[in-house]
């Protein structure tokens, strides 16, 4: 009987793609994959180690599975991913329930690592980060009609609050040929939407081709027959080129959607974050994007309570949010991450104050989102159908304005006599109302 392996993948979509490749490699090596980790012989937690809340979620998941191990329902418990890479010694020392701890560089050799653990009882491996595969066969954990497509690994930006470069290493782009080959396979497997991801997608190609190459990559991918939507996440503001905006405005398949993590607008705070720009330059950038890409949907993320953020800095940020009227926004209370330059800065704010500021910005955005949602009433939207809500007794999906997992949904009902929609296909929906970031309507 083959050893049964199950995985819980936490954190970002980039980590999810790594987990999908890891599981495919185990399947190729003869392991049997199970969807429910409680039914596995070997349970793997693909951890996130980015901020405190993510670390806590990873540790809680490991401890919960540890109870199943004590009950004899699973035999071995493994930690991989960012938390395992970042806290190698701590995990081994403080969580004895773990039988295997493997850094991200071990992902390409996981079958051997697991076999060593099964033979010896315990095992660990922390090879160089460059051992993390950039491409390979994936065991998709998303529905076939929408898939993430990772175009690069690592980061060179060195924002003072961020541990990602230390965890993931320097920026490494995939070749266009590799990406295009994988994209073609995903589309042939039924993908209508491809979501391009990296720690900084806008910097794609600089290391390989000596220039920002995301626009060229999008043009190539837009030629794939059967593909309907190309969505881009995680664009660094410094690298938004005119060429990228022109492609986004011109190519029908490239959605007018930009995820632009700005983090702040105060020039003083941004400098402390080791980021460039200020309110004036960011306002100009957003104006340029909106002028060049008609109807563009802008998503951003902000950090509240960064060390030294004064009331004046925070008020400036709040005014910026009200002025810019982002279509989508997430806000996080600053997380003091050991090993980062920002963790050593003076004037650290207490947790209560950080959370208070984050809540204020979130509430501001909720009001803006409600107003923008009401503006959609009466429009007919193309919706990628993703499921049926048994409790609300209606169908749901996403419009081109909504990225998977992070944005809202479009809920819709059928009129008498209308044919049921097909999952993974498109439906035309007339918007009738909005609530809490979601839209409601009826199928046209």
């Amino acid at each position: 009987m083959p050893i049964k392996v199950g995985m819980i993948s936490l954190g970002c979509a980039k980590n999810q793609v790594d987990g999908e490749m890891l599981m495919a490699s185990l399947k190729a090596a003869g392991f049997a994959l199970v969807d429910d980790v409680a039914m596995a012989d070997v349970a793997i937690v693909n951890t996130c180690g980015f901020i405190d809340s993510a670390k806590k979620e990873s540790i809680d998941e490991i401890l919960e599975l540890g109870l199943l191990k004590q009950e004899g329902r699973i035999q071995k418990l493994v930690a991989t991913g960012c938390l395992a890479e970042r806290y190698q010694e701590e995990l081994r020392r403080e969580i004895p329930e773990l039988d295997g701890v493997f850094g991200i560089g071990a992902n390409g050799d996981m079958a051997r690592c697991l076999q060593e653990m099964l033979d010896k009882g315990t095992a660990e491996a922390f090879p160089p980060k460059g051992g993390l595969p950039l491409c390979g066969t994936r065991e998709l954990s998303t529905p076939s009609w929408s898939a993430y497509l990772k175009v690069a690994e690592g980061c060179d930006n060195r924002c003072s609050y961020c541990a990602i470069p230390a965890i993931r290493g320097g920026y490494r782009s995939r070749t266009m040929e590799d990406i295009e080959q994988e994209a073609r396979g995903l589309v042939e497997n039924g993908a209508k939407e491809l979501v391009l991801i990296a720690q900084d997608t806008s910097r794609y190609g600089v290391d390989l081709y000596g220039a920002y190459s995301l626009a060229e990559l999008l043009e190539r991918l837009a030629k794939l027959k059967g593909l309907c939507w190309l969505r881009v996440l995680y664009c660094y503001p410094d690298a938004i080129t005119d060429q990228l905006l022109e492609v986004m405005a011109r190519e029908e398949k490239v959605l007018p959607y930009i995820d632009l993590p700005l983090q702040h607008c105060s020039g003083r705070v941004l400098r402390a974050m080791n980021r460039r720009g200020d309110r004036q330059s960011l306002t100009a950038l957003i104006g340029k994007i909106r002028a060049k890409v008609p109807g563009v949907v802008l998503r951003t993320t902000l950090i509240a309570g960064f060390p030294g953020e004064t009331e004046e800095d925070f008020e400036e940020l709040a005014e910026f949010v009200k002025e810019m009227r982002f279509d989508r926004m997430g806000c996080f209370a600053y997380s003091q991450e050991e090993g980062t330059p920002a963790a050593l800065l003076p004037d650290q704010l207490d947790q209560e104050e950080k959370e208070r500021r984050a809540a204020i910005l979130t509430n501001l955005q909720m009001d803006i989102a409600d107003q923008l949602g009401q503006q959609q009433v009466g429009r007919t939207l193309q919706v990628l159908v993703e499921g049926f809500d048994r409790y609300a007794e209606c169908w749901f999906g996403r419009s081109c304005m909504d990225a998977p997992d992070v944005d809202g949904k479009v809920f819709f009902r059928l009129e008498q006599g209308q044919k049921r929609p097909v999952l993974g296909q498109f439906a035309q929906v007339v918007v009738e109302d909005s609530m809490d970031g979601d839209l409601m309507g009826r199928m046209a």
Side-chain angles (χ1 to χ4, degrees):
M1 288 286 290
I3 300 293
K4 294 181 292 184
V5 179
M7 171 181 281
I8 293 176
S9 195
L10 303 173
C12 67
K14 301 179 289 293
N15 202 42
Q16 182 178 339
V17 171
D18 293 343
E20 291 172 347
M21 286 195 287
L22 187 156
M23 293 299 276
S25 71
L26 294 179
K27 183 178 181 179
F31 290 87
L33 307 187
V34 295
D35 294 331
D36 185 356
V37 290
M39 304 299 294
D41 301 313
V42 178
I44 301 174
V45 183
N46 189 27
T47 61
C48 178
F50 184 42
I51 57 176
D52 283 342
S53 58
K55 289 184 282 189
K56 183 179 185 303
E57 181 185 19
S58 294
I59 292 170
D60 288 347
E61 195 66 60
I62 292 170
L63 295 178
E64 187 172 333
L65 289 173
L67 295 176
L68 294 183
K69 182 186 167 188
Q70 289 178 9
E71 295 170 3
R73 296 174 62 183
I74 60 178
Q75 297 176 19
K76 296 292 183 181
L77 182 54
V78 172
T80 64
C82 289
L83 193 75
E85 177 69 32
R86 187 177 182 188
Y87 296 104
Q88 303 170 7
E89 295 182 5
E90 291 88 342
L91 282 184
R92 290 176 287 175
R93 182 176 65 245
E94 298 178 15
I95 308 183
E97 293 90 342
L98 285 169
D99 302 289
V101 182
F102 306 114
I104 63 171
N107 277 27
D109 196 24
M110 190 57 65
R112 187 196 62 78
C113 291
L114 291 191
Q115 192 58 57
E116 180 183 347
M117 177 191 70
L118 292 168
D119 293 341
K120 296 182 178 179
T122 62
E124 58 188 51
F126 303 98
K129 299 172 178 53
L132 177 71
L134 284 178
C135 55
T137 305
R138 291 162 59 187
E139 191 73 19
L140 287 185
S141 55
T142 56
S144 61
W145 55 80
S146 180
Y148 292 107
L149 183 58
K150 191 161 79 164
V151 301
E153 176 55 56
C155 189
D156 291 336
N157 288 324
R158 307 288 171 181
C159 300
S160 66
Y161 53 81
C162 183
I164 291 298
I167 299 171
R168 290 273 174 173
Y171 198 84
R172 295 187 293 144
S173 298
R174 294 175 61 183
T175 67
M176 289 194 193
E177 291 76 17
D178 274 346
I179 296 169
E180 190 174 359
Q181 181 179 0
E182 181 179 3
R184 184 174 292 107
L186 290 168
V187 172
E188 289 173 354
N189 192 50
K192 298 291 189 297
E193 174 188 39
L194 295 179
V195 184
L196 272 60
I197 55 173
Q199 199 62 37
D200 178 0
T201 50
S202 49
R203 201 167 298 275
Y204 169 76
V206 170
D207 54 323
L208 285 183
Y209 306 115
Y212 296 132
S213 305
L214 179 59
E216 182 183 347
L217 175 64
L218 288 170
E219 286 183 305
R220 290 178 63 159
L221 295 179
K223 292 182 172 65
L224 291 174
K225 292 182 179 180
L227 177 64
C228 300
W229 287 354
L230 269 171
R231 190 185 302 276
V232 182
L233 300 185
Y234 315 124
C235 291
Y236 199 83
D238 286 9
I240 302 294
T241 64
D242 288 345
Q243 186 185 8
L244 175 61
L245 299 179
E246 289 163 6
V247 168
M248 193 166 284
R250 182 178 70 247
E251 293 284 354
E252 185 178 352
K253 292 181 182 181
V254 180
L255 297 182
Y257 179 107
I258 299 182
D259 177 32
L260 194 69
L262 298 179
Q263 313 306 358
H264 216 283
C265 73
S266 161
R268 194 184 67 80
V269 174
L270 286 168
R271 285 191 295 275
M273 290 178 169
N274 197 32
R275 295 173 69 93
R276 291 167 288 283
D278 54 21
R279 183 175 179 179
Q280 181 179 359
S281 66
L282 294 177
T283 299
L285 172 62
I286 290 166
K288 175 182 174 180
I289 292 171
R290 286 174 167 160
K292 285 184 172 290
V293 187
V296 68
V297 173
L298 282 177
R299 157 171 276 282
T300 195
T301 51
L302 302 174
I303 295 174
F306 189 79
E309 181 189 67
T310 64
E311 279 290 348
E312 291 75 18
D313 293 324
F314 176 69
E315 288 170 9
E316 182 181 10
L317 183 57
E319 288 299 318
F320 180 70
V321 168
K322 288 188 279 188
E323 180 186 353
M324 292 299 100
R325 294 178 65 80
F326 295 104
D327 301 277
R328 312 282 186 261
M329 190 195 89
C331 184
F332 300 91
Y334 166 72
S335 179
Q336 186 177 8
E337 294 300 311
E338 59 269 32
T340 63
L344 304 177
L345 290 175
D347 302 318
Q348 301 276 339
L349 280 69
D350 63 50
Q351 190 64 28
E352 184 178 352
E353 177 61 18
K354 291 186 289 187
E355 291 178 359
R356 182 188 75 84
R357 295 184 182 188
I360 289 172
L361 295 177
T362 299
N363 289 333
L364 282 175
Q365 180 60 27
M366 287 177 64
D367 291 339
I368 293 168
D370 286 342
Q371 296 165 21
L372 294 176
Q374 286 300 316
Q375 292 177 13
Q376 298 297 322
V377 173
R379 289 189 62 194
T380 299
L381 302 178
Q382 185 185 46
V383 173
L384 182 58
V385 181
E386 296 192 306
F388 181 79
D389 189 318
R390 292 185 296 116
Y391 299 102
E393 296 186 338
C394 64
W395 297 83
F396 63 87
R398 290 180 293 109
S399 74
C400 68
M401 299 181 289
D402 304 303
D405 302 320
V406 293
D407 292 332
K409 296 187 182 299
V410 180
F411 294 87
F412 62 96
R413 70 185 190 283
L414 306 187
E415 304 282 37
Q416 188 171 3
Q418 285 183 321
K419 188 177 179 180
R420 292 175 55 175
V422 178
L423 297 186
Q425 300 296 324
F426 290 97
Q428 299 297 313
V429 175
V430 179
V431 180
E432 298 176 323
D433 201 358
S434 71
M435 182 185 298
D436 299 332
D438 295 322
L439 299 176
M440 281 74 73
R442 59 179 172 81
M443 193 163 80

